[in-house]
Amino acid sequence: MSKTNQPTNYPALYTLVLVFFFWGFIAAGNSIFIPFCKNYFSLDQFQSQLIDFAFYTAYFLGALLLFIFSTIKGIDIIGKWGYKKSIVYGLLLSAFGAAIMIIAVKSNVYYGMLIGLFVVALGFSIQQTAANPFAVLLGDPKTGASRQNLAGGINSFGTSIGPIIVGLALFGTTATVDDDQIKHLALDKVILLYTAVGALFLIAAGIFYFSKKLPDGISTEPMEKAGKARKTLIAMTILVILFFIPVFSSYNSEEAKNIETLSQQITTLESNVEKETNTATIDSYKAQIVKTKSDLEAIKHPLEKKRMMYLGGALLVVIISLLFANSSAKKNAEGWGAMKYPQLVLGMIAILAYVGVEVAIGSNLGELLSLPEFGGHQSSDLAPYISMYWGSLMIGRWTGAIAVFNLTKQQQTIATIIVPFIAFSVIIGINTIAQKDMSHLYFYAVCVAIQVLLFLVSKNKPALTLIIFGLFGTVAMIVGLLSTGNFAIYAFLSGGLACSIMWPSIFTLAITGLGKYTAQGSAFLVMMILGGGIIPPLQGKLSDIIGIHSSYIIPVLCFVYITVFAYLAKKSLFRQGINVDVLESEGAH
């Protein structure tokens, strides 16, 4: 790493964080579109979840296509365009996706909306591949992670306010929206929303294109063909698709149709029980309910187990493919490109686990909170908890970004103590304005205080920070698994605090020492956002078999691997003769 004290280009950095805001804003908006589309288009839960699936799959495929094209041509396409122009192209592609969304909405076609969202995220993929190394370029390389954390903090702010703004645009209110409101909602508001979003993409593209303060970020380094890495990733992608096909097709199977029929019968019988006054008839209905539920379970359990097996197979394909690449590159590095660096390959799996665990905790939280031992919360009661979970990422990222500013050591310490609670107050305030009762989450400040202590102990060192917060996440999930009630809820919400600093820390360790392969390595890491499309549904399927509470063993395993990665990456860099301690002493979260 460079030892020059290159000053940070703050005007350029502030322009860049605008793009990070978009990512968070749109991604958070998905949580509003899922129930909207489910009710408006009369979808089942799996079909509505295709919104998230389309979003995360686009990230993976976008980065993969960029890599394939670059290796075939022998040039880094992002480097040739320059980071600045690449972000402009990505924004224009996202604007095109917004246009597709508008056309699909006008045509009342759900799958057209998925294509639109896919193209929006495809643009995000190009933006993110360029934006992360661009953030490092805008100042001293040793404080690159701090600039990424600042951008991540703005991203989280977008995530925090996204659902509220999208809810206002769609429903005209910040109050909880029930199913009947969605069913009678006029789609012209969706058109207006995406017209505004598309316009914002175009405006941002214009700001980037015409800004004279932004460096072009052009890289003229020749790119190794990396044919072996390309073939491995293509084979991996094909195998993942083959594992997903049976999962998709199972929803049109006879078993699925029987499950739907039996579920409807149970609903009808339960309704009859509520209406009936005759004791004997009620007992008869209850006996029928027990038998029907038994019949339902006899069909559903094997089917869910089969689905989980295929989803687990998809995850294993990714991990085995990457470990195969790492092992093969050790024997003969030629043709593997950035994959010849063990810290990069291990970092790819770490990003897979990180994105997977971040999305999985949040996606499954609603189902967890519906359990009697977790308060038996109704859907209308979930918003404060979901908001606090995603807001926890903002708390950590705002704190991790402190080192990007020129503060004295004492000022940094004071800011590290104060900023998390300011961010916590912002989340409380935003939700209070949105008419949500947050009083039951005031004591979550204790968890924030624990995070502050961990920040002070980690001393701005990426590897140490990742180990400490990986252990924090592991312990929090285990505490949640072994307890119930508010204590367990706070523990699971703390997963957001643990995840908050992981992306920049993993990214920094994974691309350190890659040299001319840095852009290629960045593309590989962005591909692994695929974890958000594999790990959450895997946990969901596991919950159908062993229960939602016990299924949180999946996040435990993810946090354990991330912790192990931090140790292995530091060890690998040391073997390569890279002075990690120098990097860490000046680095940040």
Side-chain angles (χ1 to χ4, degrees), residues 33 41 111 127 146 163 170 183 290 333 356 374 385 394 433 461 474 480 517 543:
F33 277 110
F41 292 103
Y111 289 102
Q127 295 164 39
S146 298
L170 289 175
K183 288 175 181 176
V290 171
F374 284 88
Y385 296 100
M394 184 178 80
I433 292 171
K461 299 182 178 182
T474 303
Y517 297 105
S543 74

Side-chain angles (χ1 to χ4, degrees), residues 39 173 216 254 271 334 345 405 408 412 425 427 544 554 565:
N39 289 282
T173 177
D216 291 329
E254 284 300 318
S271 177
E334 185 180 353
V345 174
F405 300 102
T408 64
Q412 280 197 21
S425 300
I427 299 161
D544 287 322
I554 297 290
F565 159 73

Side-chain angles (χ1 to χ4, degrees), residues 258-271:
N258 290 335
I259 288 171
E260 186 176 352
T261 300
L262 291 171
S263 297
Q264 290 174 350
Q265 288 177 9
I266 292 170
T267 301
T268 302
L269 287 168
E270 288 176 340
S271 177

